[in-house]
Amino acid sequence: MTTLYVYPDSAPDRGQRVEDSAEISRILAEAGIGFERWDAGRTLPEGADQEAILEVYGEHVARLKRERGFTTADVVRLTPDHPQRAEFREKFLDEHTHSEDEVRFFVEGSGLFCLHIGDQVLGVHAEAGDLIAVPAGTRHWFDMGPAPHFAAIRLFTNTEGWVANFTGDKIARRFPMLDELPGSAQ
Ligand SMILES: [Fe+2]
């Protein structure tokens, strides 16, 4: 189940857990974060490659390209035994921003997006069916956990613009990681 954790940015131990999907959407919308639930009932074909996954969600991807001006879509997929899983996890685990929106639609598994907005940290434990759109300039980090299991469609307006600009703030290391969330299976 998609879960949101709301923390004061100075108190990682005072997270409030929100499970109600309407409430999650409301809190994220208020914070300027795009959040959509798409039909998660679609089963991916066994061993589906990037093209097959994009085909399954073709209508949604086309709509987002139209509405938000994206030019490119691809699929990133990580499995628990991926040989570079530790390296990939580290890459986005510190607070950073991008000069364009970061849009991810989870088609399989789950991951933790943490958004640092004002004096709050919003931790979105996103799962298959969730689309999250982090506006350009928003401080955030992403944790795929020590044994990553997710596939996500990524949408870009300019792949060259999508570079992580690290803030140098080690805030991410003070907050619960994916495998430390209450009830985490990882
Ligand atoms: Fe990012």
Side-chain angles (χ1 to χ4, degrees):
M1 188 196 331
T2 308
T3 311
L4 172 67
Y5 298 85
V6 182
Y7 310 88
D9 67 355
S10 56
D13 55 337
R14 284 188 13 227
Q16 283 188 17
R17 187 182 159 106
V18 183
E19 288 178 349
D20 180 78
S21 60
E23 184 65 359
I24 291 175
S25 299
R26 189 191 63 76
I27 294 170
L28 291 175
E30 214 164 78
I33 303 299
F35 182 74
E36 296 180 14
R37 287 281 301 166
W38 290 357
D39 178 7
R42 299 168 199 226
T43 318
L44 292 180
E46 188 72 26
D49 61 7
Q50 165 164 302
E51 236 163 78
I53 293 173
L54 288 172
E55 172 79 32
V56 168
Y57 291 98
E59 279 165 51
H60 290 298
V61 171
R63 175 178 59 82
L64 281 174
K65 283 183 171 174
R66 237 181 7 250
E67 287 178 1
R68 294 172 175 248
F70 295 114
T71 54
T72 321
D74 71 4
V75 176
V76 58
R77 190 178 215 175
L78 267 290
T79 51
D81 59 351
H82 194 290
Q84 286 170 283
R85 61 188 180 278
E87 185 188 321
F88 288 160
R89 185 188 190 198
E90 272 302 306
K91 207 169 165 185
F92 303 112
L93 205 46
D94 281 318
E95 188 182 81
H96 63 275
T97 62
H98 304 286
S99 58
E100 72 164 49
D101 295 3
E102 175 164 303
V103 180
R104 301 287 178 268
F105 172 62
F106 286 82
V107 293
E108 197 176 75
S110 69
L112 176 66
F113 262 99
C114 291
L115 313 150
H116 186 187
I117 298 172
D119 57 4
Q120 278 194 321
V121 168
L122 302 175
V124 187
H125 188 189
E127 62 173 31
D130 291 340
L131 176 132
I132 185 160
V134 180
T138 305
R139 290 174 290 166
H140 68 281
W141 60 93
F142 175 68
D143 187 16
M144 59 181 74
H149 168 60
F150 76 96
I153 295 176
R154 311 189 294 179
L155 289 132
F156 301 97
T157 46
N158 169 13
T159 48
E160 281 157 30
W162 192 82
V163 171
N165 301 306
F166 290 94
T167 64
D169 187 334
K170 292 292 169 196
I171 181 172
R173 309 291 169 153
R174 298 197 294 273
F175 280 79
M177 305 227 172
L178 182 60
D179 51 320
E180 295 164 343
L181 295 173
S184 167
Q186 274 205 345

